[in-house]
Amino acid sequence: MAADAALMQIIGLSLRVTLTAVLVACAIGLPLGAALALARFPGRGAVIVVFNALMGLPPVVAGLVVYLMLSRSGPLGDLALLFTPEAMILAQTVLILPIVVSLTRSVVEDIWAEYREQLQSLGASRLRAVPTLLWDGRVSLLTGVLAGFGRASAEVGAVLIVGGNIAGHTRTMTTAITLETSRGNLGLAVALGIILLALTLTLNAVAWGAGQWARGRLG
Amino acid sequence: MTHPRPTSPTILPLRLEGVGYDVAGKTLLSDISLAVDPGRRLVVMGANGAGKSLLLRLCHGLIAPTAGRCIWADGSIRAHAQAMVFQRPILLRRSVAANLDYPLALRGLSRQARRATVARTLDRFGLGPLADRPARLLSGGEQQRLALARAWSMQPEVLFLDEPTSALDPSATRIIEEMLMGFSAEGITIVLTTHNLGQARRLAEDVAFLHRGRLIEHRPAADFFAGPAAPEARAFLAGDLIW
Amino acid sequence: MTHTRRSALLGFASGLAMLAALPAVAQEFIIVASTTSTENSGLFGHILPMFQAETGIEVRVVSQGTGQALETGRRGDADVVFVHARAQEEAFVAEGYGVQRFDVMYNDFVIVGPADDPAGVRAADSAAAAMAAIAGAGASFASRGDDSGTHTAEKGLWSAAGIDPAGDWYLSTGSGMGATLNTAAQVPAYALTDRGTWLSFANRGPLEIVAQGDPVLFNPYGIILVNPDKHAHVKAEQGQAFIDWIVSEAGQQAIASFTVAGEQLFFPSVQ
């Protein structure tokens, strides 16, 4: 029973951390990606390249950067966030944000190319076009958000560094798998891996189904 | 059932004064002066690449001329009471009703006013049964009907149409033409490009003929079809391909 | 700013603060940077609930290699460090990062290797001789290679044997004890491990203990409060309470009462 409670706690924390990170990354990344698609300014190409490159940022590096920021000896040390779930959310947000921004930019650019004259004709300003384009790109954007979720839920490097894998506090499914592997408990590690996989599969299935349904409904 | 329309148009005529358009050193339109008069059906004709679509976009205000100016009767550069329908209807990835609602929301109409206008528009064009269907899953003819209905719901004084039936079959084309005649009967000014001579004959009250970015003729349709003055226009009517 | 806007902002901010504090509602806690070997053995799971029941203080253990744990303390990211690498611990205190080092407990290192013992380690009469036999036979040896306490002890054994380990047979894994044992079981290779990790390690494969008992293999653990003079936010009072408890009779008994498969893993240092 106690083991089950501990397991549920780990699963709950993993979902809470990753879903919150996805939400934060979307809140920032969707408008930012859309703005990047519509705005023209010097250095825009460089910004796009940087975000594309950051999609491949190794989680450990993201973790290390967040660690150095949040450490008591770092610039944000006074927030006392190191080794907390909030630190893990921050690290995962850093990992997901480039995916959301880059994909949003690409999706919105495509729809903008198609809609531009019509929206202009109907009287929509560029700013007003942003929510329209995001909404009309929702099916494609869902894919990007899912990719972000997948990356965050599967990674261990960043959350291990900034969370510390503290039992009952910052231990997620992936850090627990790392721990159990290092204890030679391969059976338990594999079992946790299967649970993680099942959760990811379920989420992807639901999202895919929703996407198919929406495509059928919306064209 | 029609919209109540202002008895005297406030934005027409639209005057083009010495309008030209260059891009990357290439002149696509030059020295076009013409007036779009209220209540008329003006058909812009010319061969492919003559600059018909470009002229329409300049009139509608989607792009600004690089020479001369387009000025509405109320003094504005881009008047409010106008709408445009494109060759390929561009519909939002939403339901038919939501597509009608969108431009009304852009104009800041209240939810109630929007609902009433959407209902009236659906009813007027027989789109009621399709109201909840995703707009982009409609047939090509239905999509163009919706695009026209959307334009109509915005209560334009002038409606620009860029080859609205070139992708449609004859029966869908006939429906669109009937809609346009209906709009015209309500007093909406129509400016339409087409390379379809039959359509031009059926719809035009006035004809503007473009050749290589220049306005060659602008005359009442009857005069134009009876015998255009310019040799390029005669060749065009005779079916000789000119570029 | 109007009154209502200010209170709305305040409400929002306090809501955020409450959200951030949710996992530790009305709970005193300290962060202890410790080693993977102690965490992996399960010791903390055994003793920390006793301490918390007595004092109400939650201990959050971040388990790292000894080197990393001391670095965590140096940066002020932990209140207490609890590690096993005496020389480094003393340097940590001497540099002013730690207040004082207390002996807590010890366990011992053992040399594990393939049951058929290709290097003949079982015949060696000391730990250094065992290492010499492995190097002499060119038998595979899996090293932590991570500057951990165990790695430091291993390097001490090599230098006692007068050997500079290098070559195809010497596998530096650069990872934790468990990962190194997983590697050793696969190769198979010899490895130096603390007894605690070994006893609780489930994936032994062909490995078994081939050398143990040399006094140089004793592995003492020390505990140090991070110096509040260096990092003002260190929870000195609670951290010291933990140290006081763990060296007290109650704490020492708690350590002695921890067993894996009926075997005691850690032996109290305080008599």
Side-chain angles (χ1 to χ4, degrees):
Chain A
M1 277 312 285
D4 284 354
L7 184 65
M8 291 314 290
Q9 198 269 338
I10 287 173
I11 294 173
L13 178 70
S14 301
L15 288 176
R16 186 189 135 206
V17 166
T18 302
L19 289 175
T20 310
V22 167
L23 280 180
V24 174
C26 286
I28 303 168
L30 290 176
L32 188 61
L36 210 48
L38 301 195
R40 292 292 177 273
F41 55 91
R44 173 175 177 268
V47 174
I48 289 173
V49 168
V50 165
F51 272 109
N52 283 342
L54 284 178
M55 286 200 288
L57 183 71
V60 182
V61 176
L64 195 59
V65 171
V66 173
Y67 171 80
L68 291 174
M69 299 293 288
L70 294 184
S71 169
R72 290 289 189 168
S73 305
L76 302 177
D78 289 342
L79 299 177
L81 283 178
L82 194 65
F83 304 141
T84 64
E86 286 70 31
M88 300 196 286
I89 291 170
L90 182 60
Q92 293 203 336
T93 303
V94 170
L95 282 179
I96 305 171
L97 188 61
I99 298 181
V100 177
V101 169
S102 294
L103 190 102
T104 303
R105 182 195 55 77
S106 139
V107 166
V108 168
E109 251 176 24
D110 286 352
I111 301 183
W112 179 236
E114 184 195 345
Y115 280 15
R116 181 181 186 149
E117 282 195 321
Q118 182 69 71
L119 291 188
Q120 202 186 339
S121 168
L122 295 177
S125 64
R126 270 173 195 251
L127 194 62
R128 181 59 184 79
V130 167
T132 305
L133 297 168
L134 287 175
W135 179 246
D136 277 41
R138 59 200 177 278
V139 178
S140 309
L141 290 174
L142 187 64
T143 318
V145 172
L146 265 186
F149 179 88
R151 180 162 203 225
S153 66
E155 77 85 25
V156 62
V159 288
L160 193 58
I161 293 176
V162 305
N165 191 25
I166 297 169
H169 187 57
T170 57
R171 184 162 298 168
T172 64
M173 280 189 276
T174 54
T175 60
I177 289 169
T178 308
L179 177 69
E180 294 308 335
T181 305
S182 76
R183 296 174 74 166
N185 278 335
L186 301 187
L188 187 50
V190 169
L192 281 165
I194 290 171
I195 294 173
L196 180 58
L197 193 64
L199 280 172
T200 310
L201 260 175
T202 308
L203 196 95
N204 273 280
V206 169
W208 187 80
Q212 287 300 106
W213 178 82
R215 254 180 250 281
R217 284 276 305 147
L218 305 164
Chain B
M1 185 174 321
T2 61
H3 280 308
R5 291 200 178 270
T7 44
S8 60
T10 54
I11 64 169
L12 289 168
L14 165 68
R15 292 185 192 287
L16 276 62
E17 298 172 355
V19 165
Y21 189 78
D22 293 5
V23 65
K26 207 176 156 209
T27 301
L28 300 179
L29 286 179
S30 62
D31 196 26
I32 293 184
S33 296
L34 124 144
V36 176
D37 292 321
R40 305 283 288 179
R41 296 190 301 276
L42 170 64
V43 171
V44 180
M45 297 178 69
N48 286 333
K52 304 189 295 288
S53 296
L54 192 57
L55 180 67
L56 224 55
R57 282 165 171 74
L58 284 164
C59 290
H60 187 43
L62 290 181
I63 48 181
T66 53
R69 60 172 192 162
C70 303
I71 188 90
W72 296 89
D74 64 354
S76 63
I77 301 295
R78 170 131 170 69
H80 205 55
Q82 53 167 333
M84 179 156 173
V85 170
F86 296 85
Q87 182 173 6
R88 216 168 57 78
I90 297 160
L91 300 172
L92 304 180
R93 290 162 172 81
R94 307 174 186 196
S95 71
V96 167
N99 266 278
L100 292 175
D101 181 77
Y102 182 79
L104 305 175
L106 284 183
R107 295 190 166 190
L109 265 66
S110 73
R111 190 174 290 273
Q112 278 164 315
R114 270 147 53 199
R115 193 172 303 159
T117 303
V118 169
R120 192 166 61 231
T121 308
L122 287 169
D123 194 48
R124 162 83 158 75
F125 299 100
L127 292 168
L130 304 179
D132 295 324
R133 294 262 300 276
R136 297 170 72 98
L137 295 184
L138 301 178
S139 73
E142 287 169 332
Q143 291 201 19
Q144 197 58 292
R145 255 167 74 204
L146 174 56
L148 253 73
R150 178 172 64 185
W152 179 86
S153 74
M154 296 166 71
Q155 296 186 270
E157 286 183 34
V158 56
L159 174 60
F160 298 97
L161 302 105
D162 187 12
E163 310 223 6
T165 63
S166 64
L168 301 181
D169 63 29
S171 73
T173 300
R174 202 179 61 243
I175 293 173
I176 299 297
E177 289 182 5
E178 279 166 8
M179 286 173 80
L180 290 178
M181 292 307 281
F183 291 0
S184 181
E186 285 175 35
I188 301 175
T189 304
I190 305 283
V191 180
L192 170 112
T193 69
T194 184
H195 59 247
N196 176 335
L197 277 177
Q199 182 166 64
R201 285 181 201 277
R202 288 191 295 276
L203 295 179
E205 289 178 301
D206 298 310
V207 170
F209 182 78
L210 287 181
H211 179 64
R212 292 185 182 166
R214 290 182 169 276
L215 181 65
I216 306 269
E217 299 215 23
H218 180 203
R219 307 163 62 187
D223 294 357
F224 180 82
F225 290 117
E232 296 90 346
R234 274 202 298 276
F236 181 77
L237 286 185
D240 296 340
L241 206 61
I242 52 167
W243 292 94
Chain C
M1 196 188 289
T2 66
H3 181 70
T4 43
R5 252 176 85 191
R6 186 196 301 265
S7 49
L9 264 180
L10 275 177
F12 181 66
S14 56
L16 272 184
M18 274 171 61
L19 207 68
L22 260 183
V25 193
Q27 178 85 339
E28 271 191 296
F29 71 91
I30 57 170
I31 289 180
V32 174
S34 187
T35 61
T36 40
S37 56
T38 19
E39 170 78 2
N40 284 7
S41 70
L43 175 71
F44 287 124
H46 179 72
I47 66 169
L48 293 184
M50 301 185 198
F51 173 68
Q52 188 167 352
E54 218 165 287
T55 62
I57 299 171
E58 181 194 349
V59 178
R60 296 183 182 167
V61 177
V62 179
S63 56
Q64 305 169 321
T66 294
Q68 197 190 349
L70 287 169
E71 178 64 18
T72 301
R74 255 186 214 104
R75 299 184 64 91
D77 292 327
D79 303 300
V80 170
V81 292
F82 184 11
V83 293
H84 59 100
R86 187 162 215 146
Q88 292 181 47
E89 288 163 41
E90 280 163 359
F92 182 76
V93 174
E95 290 161 13
Y97 290 106
V99 176
Q100 189 189 343
R101 179 185 181 280
F102 295 88
D103 278 318
V104 178
M105 62 187 189
Y106 65 90
N107 67 349
D108 62 343
F109 291 115
V110 295
I111 298 171
V112 298
D116 57 4
D117 193 15
V121 170
R122 284 198 183 88
D125 58 0
S126 73
M131 301 301 263
I134 294 168
S140 295
F141 184 93
S143 166
R144 291 277 295 271
D146 62 351
D147 279 326
S148 60
T150 308
H151 187 218
T152 306
E154 179 210 317
K155 285 190 285 192
L157 292 177
W158 290 120
S159 67
I163 291 164
D164 181 18
D168 289 346
W169 59 275
Y170 188 74
L171 314 169
S172 181
T173 64
S175 44
M177 194 69 254
T180 303
L181 284 175
N182 279 330
T183 304
Q186 281 305 309
V187 174
Y190 290 92
L192 182 73
T193 171
D194 62 283
R195 190 186 294 272
T197 303
W198 173 251
L199 283 175
S200 55
F201 187 73
N203 182 37
R204 293 181 186 180
L207 303 182
E208 53 183 50
I209 294 177
V210 292
Q212 58 182 323
D214 186 329
V216 304
L217 292 176
F218 278 19
N219 177 28
Y221 284 75
I223 194 164
I224 307 168
L225 180 70
V226 175
N227 197 342
D229 293 345
K230 286 268 187 190
H231 297 287
H233 59 267
V234 165
K235 295 170 182 163
E237 198 181 317
Q238 292 95 326
Q240 191 59 47
F242 180 58
I243 294 174
D244 290 346
W245 178 81
I246 208 162
V247 300
S248 74
E249 199 172 322
Q252 295 283 297
Q253 273 175 9
I255 290 169
S257 68
F258 176 61
T259 59
V260 170
E263 269 194 75
Q264 183 178 344
L265 290 196
F266 297 97
F267 299 87
S269 297
V270 184
Q271 304 307 323

